[in-house]
Amino acid sequence: MKLPSRRILALFSVAALVVSACSNSTTTNVPGSTNAPAGAITQVEVVSWWTTGGEASGFNAIIDKFNADNPTIKVTNSAIAGGAGSNAQTALTTRVVNNTPPDSFQVHMGHELLDNYVTPGYMDNLDDLYTANGWTTQFPQGVLDIVSAKDSAGAVHYYSVPLDIHRANVLWYNKTVFTANGLTAPTTWDQFFTVADALKLKGITPLAVGDNGIWTNGMLLESILISTLGADGYNNLWKGTPDWASAKVTDALNTYKKVLTYVNTDHSSLSWDQAADRLIPASAGAQPKAAMTIMGDWAAGEFDAKTFTDYGWAAAPGTDKIYDALADSFGLPTKATNKDAVKKFLTLLGSAAGQDIFNPYKGSIPANKTAGTPPAGAKQYSTYQTWAMGEWKGDAIVPSVEHGAAASPKWKGAFEQAVTMFVTNPDVPTAQTALVQACKDAAVCS
Ligand code: GAL
């Protein structure tokens, strides 16, 4: 897979960081190392938030493979439910700050990794793994840029291993419902409203949303901002120009307000996967509760895991040829206890073989450019994923705010607060004022 390193470099951009790498490795307990008791099983605790559908099956599949190949090590996934890490991230930060981190954990590349963990000095660098495995040429430059930081002498160090690349801006729909009603996937928000009105008349909820974690609604606004401002405009928003007071942001909020009138009334009690499942009929031939959802492509993993094949997809309205990207990665906390064993596991995660075990379940595409062809007999990439691999090569790449790439964790939090208020009381001027202030508080806008 050839990846657009120039575009991703520009658009996934994160300011170069100067950090002082610190390493005060604790005990290693690996067979062959001096302090490993003979015959001991080395426990490796990994924390993710993958508890459902394709997410859980994909991660379990790669862990099972590792444990089978390494009988003296046992990797365990201490998963914490809550999409987008809405619960896991708080728990992880507490553990890391209290010097009791798991041996490795799921973290989004970009600001989430760098601002939360690397800059404060909580992570070991993985330069030796990058060199030994040739990863500096196997991962796209734009990915390398946001898993790395410079030390005070200007040398680049790598801090996590990317496992996948996801697309956040995808519209999913029930194909039978669309065909039966003579509808096609909307490519603009105006078309979306026409399609949504037709669906409403048929008694079907147009757009399923599950925002018991507010990130799903934030992601909806993210997609609308991308469509209203275009790739460059959206990207520049996170650099403070155009500023958040601009007319385009007002337009986006007005569109968002209207979109919210087409969603299920019980949205706040559903998780993202429960909302996606609304597209699946309760029984063959039955009408599903909803016809569309806008969700990252982990939804493909969810549908596939539920053996639901009657789904179609398109870029979220107005975002064709723009890939709203994010990536999951795993690193090595400085206070991890079983570093040699963790590095072995990370080696599998970064390898083409490992990525071709995990990603076919997950709905994502591999981050390693040499991956993409699982061996015969293994689970293969889906039609959606083949489409996504093609789009990734040609699209403009923009960073997702809800998944840690576009803005600092603090700014993301303030963005989510504005969204939470808006969902309860969709007042455009109030929300825009909050978004303007959030950019100022992030010290990006003056
Ligand atoms: C994202 C994560 C994806 C998927 C999704 C839903 O933040 O990157 O891998 O897990 O949340 O939980």
Side-chain angles (χ1 to χ4, degrees), residues 49-50 55 83-84 106 108 166 215 272 298 326 328 362 403:
W49 54 84
W50 291 326
E55 317 199 319
Q106 181 182 356
H108 291 120
H166 270 299
W215 64 274
W272 74 264
W298 42 92
L326 61 125
D328 298 299
K362 185 70 166 65
H403 304 280

Side-chain angles (χ1 to χ4, degrees), residues 66-129:
F66 180 85
N67 286 341
D69 290 352
N70 296 277
T72 55
I73 304 175
K74 187 167 188 328
V75 173
T76 317
N77 177 19
S78 306
I80 300 175
S86 38
N87 300 321
Q89 284 171 11
T90 316
L92 281 168
T93 306
T94 306
R95 287 188 63 179
V96 171
V97 169
N98 289 334
N99 291 328
T100 53
D103 293 305
S104 187
F105 58 89
Q106 181 182 356
V107 59
H108 291 120
M109 299 188 317
H111 282 279
E112 188 179 309
L113 165 72
L114 299 171
D115 299 5
N116 276 347
Y117 303 112
V118 175
T119 304
Y122 292 126
M123 306 300 280
D124 277 9
N125 80 54
L126 299 167
D127 296 353
D128 52 348
L129 289 190

